[in-house]
Structures are given as structure tokens and as C-alpha cells.
Amino acid sequence: MNSYELMLGGQAEQVAPQEKRSVPHANSKHHKRYAAAKQHNSSVERFTGGSLSADSNLRRDLVKLREASRNAGDDIGYIKRYFSMVQTHVVGENGLRLQAMVRKADGGTDREANRIIENEFLEWAELGSAEIGGRMSWIGAQELTAKTCAQDGDMLKRYHTDKSNKYGFSIELIEADVLDITLNQVLRNGNRIVMGVELNKFNRRVAFHLLTSHPGDDTWAVGGRRYIRVSANEMDLLYPVWRPGQNRGVPWAHASLLEMYQINGMRDSQLTNARISAANMAFYERDPEQEVADDFDEEGEFLQELEAGQMSMVPDGYKVNQTNFSGPQGGDFQKNALRGSASGLDVNYNVLGNDYEGVNFSSLRQAILEDRDAWKRKQRWLIEQQGAPVFKRWLKNALLKNALPGLKASDLQRLSKHKYHGRRWMWVDPLKDEKASGEAMANLTTSPMHVMREKGIDAEDVAAGWEEFGELMKPHMEAVHMLMPKSVPKVQPSKSPKNEQ
């Protein structure tokens, strides 16, 4: 095996023979843990491998799982729809919305600082600034992150000091393929590399060891792999953690891939069966008990074309044998398999399968409520692993570049207070929900702030909107009063109440 260099602490260190990466043999007898990664089915194998650690399972199966998930996203409509649903519900049309929550020394809301931070962040988030390649806006980066992590299991995000925009900061999204699954070793400094991720003794990420070229790139050169070491301060690996000690992500659809491919296989079989069934034919067979008639052409052949609904006489001396291929079978196989797949994806079957037959409003509402709670959990994951780290780094760089008018870098800790709001959903009958919210506030079981947060509404925006509306209407209030019926009391213009948080 060719030796290679690892860039540790800025110095190239030659790896000792006993420290070289171990590559599982292609014919390894270790059992596959994930069903979608198995090469064959066996009831015995399905119950083995459960005692392995999360990383041991992933070292054996992640490459195959990722390939299966990507192929399913390309070829199976239901999986493609699921990835689209992830983008729609986790990110939404407007993406994660930043709300600055800076307060003054006396505890009051610093509205001016909040306005500056939010407006400048929105400018950075536009196409051409947020992503270093200039191909995505901040919302586009969120959509790609959600979809890629759902499809591949994990994704790398690198932070760049970028001189091309006034805030001096951009992000780069990188496929996790360059984080080599087969790179596993113990280093001389006591750290260990697990599937390309360097960890210290507390299992905290120290660095990432990336291949210098994508392993699936056609231009990738042979003759040994080379790596670059990137500090964990410059890069993050994004994925939901399913098990303690897990250091790489799992494709979100892994528990449904097998059934999805079975659905495709059954549909192909039914299509083949239908084609065969449509090819039924009739054959004339010589009947030895009858005399042959002379109803033949000059070449001695009896020819007849059958059409739908046509009736014909069998020629004398012959009898008819007819093929009768059975039609498509399978019944509810697809529905049953798709229900199981939807459970593995943690989404509602009716929405995933576009099947609303026999569904009433109450049952669908209950299913959608459960779905939305699951989407909110995934939103929280995206906020924690992408939204918050990006904002804090953006704010630090923007302050150092004096890109936030009137705000100082010395106030970084105070200015970093913020919150993200994920998308929220309206109901088919919003009037009932509005009435329910009004009744809840009347009964003192909720508050306007809580209701607005549940809808993803920024109370500051609402207050500012009313204030702006009041200022706009002031010059026209006399005309409005003149046009109003006399029975309606006149409303004097007044300042909109400030929203205290």
C-alpha cells in the first residue's frame, strides 16, 4: 500500500505502517446491518449485527446506503417526492427567518440594533454573497443542505473569509464523499481518525481529512489517495444523531429503500404481465374426427384476423385452442408497501402517496398534526447545525469589517442574541383556528405572543406594521371620518402601542 501524508499541525507527518488506514475486504464475512445494503436476503441475517457500534455499522454500509438513496431519488417518484417534502416543510418558501433579540443595558429591547442586524443579514443572504460560488442564496443553501442530508445522511459545510462581499464571510457546501469512509486510524498525538473525522479523547471533532478530489470524479487520478486536513473551526459536518457515539450520518430514507425498490419491481412485473395478457391469440388445431373443408387460399393456408367483438366460424375439420394469460395481480401490495415505507420516512402515507381515497377531515387533520411535529423537530436540527453557527460567524466577520453601521465588535456577545423562526402552516379552515385562538386568549390559556410564535409571525414586524399603517393614515383620517356612517364613533389617531417582550 502506498504511503501518504497527513497534514497535522501544519507539518507533514509520515504515517507509520501500523497506522495506515484499514480497508474492509470486499469479501468480508461481517454481516450487513442495514437491509438496503444487503446483497441477499436471509431471515437469519436480519437479526445479526445489532450489537455493533454505530460507526462499525456505517463503515460497512454507508457507501452502499448512499448509493441506494441517490439512485432511489433519481428513479423512484415517491423518494423524489420525499426529498422535495423535506425542502418544502423543513425550509419552506422563505427559509429560516432570523430575529435579532438584542437588549439594552436596562433590559429593554434594542430595536435599532435589531433592525440593523436583520436588514444587513438579509442583504448578505441574497444570491451572490451567502455561498462562495455565487450560485445559491442563503435560502437556497438551506434547501440544498436539507435535501443532501436527507439523501446522503450527512454533508460538509466550510466557512470562508470572503473578500468578495462587504461582510467578509461566505459558506461552501461540500458532498461528504470526500470524507473517506475507509480512513480509520490512531494518530501519534493520541487523536483518532474515524471515517475521515479526527477526534480527541472526548470524541470532539478536531479536524476533517478530505480527499483532494471527489472519489466519483472521472478526472480523479490513480496512484494513491492524498488528503488535506481542515480544522474543525473552519468546517462542520451536518447530520442528525441517531445513536450515541455516531460520527457519520445515515440517509433518512434507509428504512424505506428496500420496500420502495420492491414497489418498483412489482410494478414492472405487473406491466410485463399486462403486456403478456394483452397478447392472447387463437390457434386452429386439426380435428381428426372431422373432414377438412376447402376454405383455404391458393397457398393452402387459412388466414383470419380477429378484431374486438368479432364473431367467426371455425373451418370444417378444425377446432380452436386459445391462450388465456392471466391479467395483472397484486391487489393492495403497493398500498401496503407504501404505508410501511411512509412509516420509515416518518411522513403521512396519504400525503406521500397522493392517496386521499376514504380519508375524512378529522383523520387527515390528526395525521398532518403529527407530521408537522416531526417537521418541526427537523427544523430545530437545521437551526442548531446550520442556522445558528452561520449567523454567529457572519456577525463576527461583519463587525470586524465595520459592515454594521453604529454597532461595535466589542459588543459581540450582546449583539449575538437571536432566534430563528421556521415555516408554519395554515389550515384548510383558518377561520376556525382564528376563533379558537381568540377563545384561548379570552380564557387566559394563551397569549398573543404565543399565538404569533406558533404561526411563525414576528411580533416586532406586526407592531412596526401597525405603526407604519397609522403614520400612513394620519393625513387621511378626516376624510375617513366624513365617509363613515354617523352611527360609527370617530376614531382618533393615536400611536400604536409598543410591543414589549
Side-chain angles (χ1 to χ4, degrees):
M1 182 183 298
N2 294 330
S3 62
Y4 57 88
E5 295 178 344
L6 294 175
M7 304 302 295
L8 299 174
Q11 297 180 351
E13 178 176 345
Q14 189 71 26
V15 179
Q18 65 271 19
E19 293 180 342
K20 290 185 179 180
R21 60 190 175 100
S22 59
V23 182
H25 194 272
N27 297 322
S28 173
K29 296 183 179 179
H30 291 293
H31 292 289
K32 297 293 183 184
R33 176 65 184 92
Y34 295 97
K38 293 179 183 294
Q39 298 299 316
H40 55 86
N41 294 324
S42 169
S43 58
V44 175
E45 280 196 346
R46 291 185 186 276
F47 297 98
T48 61
S51 60
L52 296 176
S53 68
D55 286 346
S56 294
N57 285 332
L58 290 171
R59 275 197 295 267
R60 291 166 172 80
D61 293 352
L62 184 54
V63 172
K64 291 186 178 297
L65 280 175
R66 186 188 294 152
E67 291 174 354
S69 182
R70 288 176 178 173
N71 290 337
D74 292 336
D75 301 334
I76 300 178
Y78 294 119
I79 295 294
K80 188 178 189 304
R81 173 168 172 76
Y82 171 68
F83 293 151
S84 177
M85 289 171 65
V86 169
Q87 292 180 310
T88 299
H89 294 289
V90 177
V91 179
E93 179 184 3
N94 299 313
L96 302 176
R97 190 166 54 82
L98 174 71
Q99 179 186 3
M101 302 182 72
V102 183
R103 293 191 175 275
K104 299 177 181 178
D106 60 3
T109 300
D110 193 338
R111 299 181 187 279
E112 182 62 18
N114 291 336
R115 182 189 63 81
I116 293 171
I117 291 173
E118 291 176 7
N119 289 343
E120 295 295 336
F121 188 80
L122 283 175
E123 182 176 338
W124 171 82
E126 294 176 356
L127 183 69
S129 295
E131 192 263 335
I132 195 166
R135 294 181 294 272
M136 288 175 283
S137 66
W138 172 229
I139 296 177
Q142 294 170 46
E143 289 180 335
L144 184 60
T145 297
K147 184 259 183 181
T148 302
C149 288
Q151 174 184 271
D152 298 350
D154 50 19
M155 188 196 73
L156 290 163
K157 177 184 60 181
R158 190 167 186 177
Y159 307 107
H160 289 274
T161 300
D162 186 3
K163 297 181 180 179
S164 66
N165 67 72
K166 71 175 186 178
Y167 305 99
F169 176 75
S170 292
I171 62 172
E172 179 185 7
L173 305 182
I174 306 171
E175 280 191 327
D177 300 63
V178 298
L179 204 55
D180 192 356
I181 298 290
T182 65
L183 183 59
N184 299 278
Q185 60 184 232
V186 177
L187 302 177
R188 290 171 179 165
N189 60 3
N191 292 345
R192 59 195 177 96
I193 300 178
V194 178
M195 293 178 284
V197 182
E198 185 177 337
L199 308 166
N200 64 14
K201 63 180 180 179
F202 299 109
N203 212 43
R204 181 180 290 273
R205 295 170 188 163
V206 175
F208 300 93
H209 295 260
L210 311 181
L211 290 166
T212 54
S213 59
H214 194 289
D217 196 336
D218 291 338
T219 62
W220 182 61
V222 298
R225 295 184 174 186
R226 296 184 64 84
Y227 301 85
I228 58 172
R229 182 181 185 271
V230 179
S231 170
N233 293 326
E234 302 176 25
M235 179 174 284
D236 274 334
L237 179 63
L238 312 180
Y239 62 90
V241 179
W242 300 107
R243 290 182 60 182
Q246 176 185 340
N247 286 296
R248 294 297 300 269
V250 187
W252 297 4
H254 70 86
S256 301
L257 292 176
L258 203 57
E259 282 185 301
M260 285 294 186
Y261 278 110
Q262 288 173 348
I263 291 173
N264 257 24
M266 173 61 79
R267 292 169 70 175
D268 288 342
S269 299
Q270 289 178 337
L271 179 60
T272 302
N273 198 1
R275 287 174 174 170
I276 294 174
S277 300
N280 285 328
M281 296 178 291
F283 300 91
Y284 291 109
E285 181 183 356
R286 177 73 173 87
D287 187 351
E289 298 180 359
Q290 299 184 41
E291 294 183 2
V292 179
D294 296 329
D295 300 335
F296 293 92
D297 60 14
E298 296 178 354
E299 297 178 358
E301 296 182 359
F302 180 84
L303 302 176
Q304 187 173 7
E305 294 183 0
L306 299 179
E307 297 180 3
Q310 176 183 352
M311 300 181 66
S312 179
M313 296 291 292
V314 178
D316 294 339
Y318 289 84
K319 60 182 179 180
V320 176
N321 283 336
Q322 185 176 1
T323 59
N324 186 19
F325 302 112
S326 60
Q329 303 293 322
D332 294 331
F333 171 82
Q334 178 166 324
K335 278 190 175 183
N336 294 332
L338 190 56
R339 286 190 181 100
S341 299
S343 297
L345 297 172
D346 199 17
V347 295
N348 179 25
Y349 155 74
N350 301 100
V351 177
L352 178 69
N354 292 313
D355 181 9
Y356 299 96
E357 181 181 358
V359 177
N360 58 47
F361 182 80
S362 297
S363 61
L364 184 60
R365 181 185 176 96
Q366 179 60 36
I368 290 178
L369 275 174
E370 193 171 332
D371 264 9
R372 290 179 178 178
D373 285 339
W375 293 126
K376 288 177 184 178
R377 285 182 14 244
K378 293 180 175 67
Q379 285 178 357
R380 186 186 71 241
W381 160 78
L382 187 65
I383 290 171
E384 292 174 349
Q385 295 204 11
Q386 185 175 57
V390 166
F391 170 71
K392 290 179 180 179
R393 284 173 169 81
W394 169 85
L395 180 64
K396 181 178 179 180
N397 282 271
L399 289 171
L400 292 174
K401 295 273 289 185
N402 294 318
L404 306 182
L407 303 182
K408 300 178 180 179
S410 58
D411 288 337
L412 175 62
Q413 185 174 358
R414 182 177 69 89
L415 298 174
S416 64
K417 304 299 181 184
H418 73 285
K419 184 176 182 180
Y420 275 103
H421 296 280
R423 74 151 290 185
R424 290 298 180 262
W425 305 264
M426 294 295 293
W427 286 106
V428 178
D429 192 355
L431 179 60
K432 290 183 179 179
D433 292 291
E434 288 296 307
K435 288 182 177 179
S437 297
E439 290 292 329
M441 284 189 285
N443 294 333
L444 304 180
T445 56
T446 189
S447 68
M449 296 294 292
H450 178 76
V451 171
M452 283 189 279
R453 289 193 189 104
E454 281 298 306
K455 294 181 178 180
I457 299 173
D458 187 349
E460 292 279 348
D461 290 345
V462 174
W466 277 109
E467 189 171 357
E468 183 181 357
F469 177 74
E471 292 295 328
L472 180 65
M473 293 300 295
K474 275 182 180 180
H476 309 286
M477 288 305 294
E478 290 299 325
V480 171
H481 286 311
M482 291 177 62
L483 295 174
M484 291 175 64
K486 294 182 180 180
S487 58
V488 178
K490 291 185 177 182
V491 179
Q492 298 298 328
S494 61
K495 291 185 178 180
S496 174
K498 299 296 183 181
N499 175 44
E500 296 295 337
Q501 294 187 357

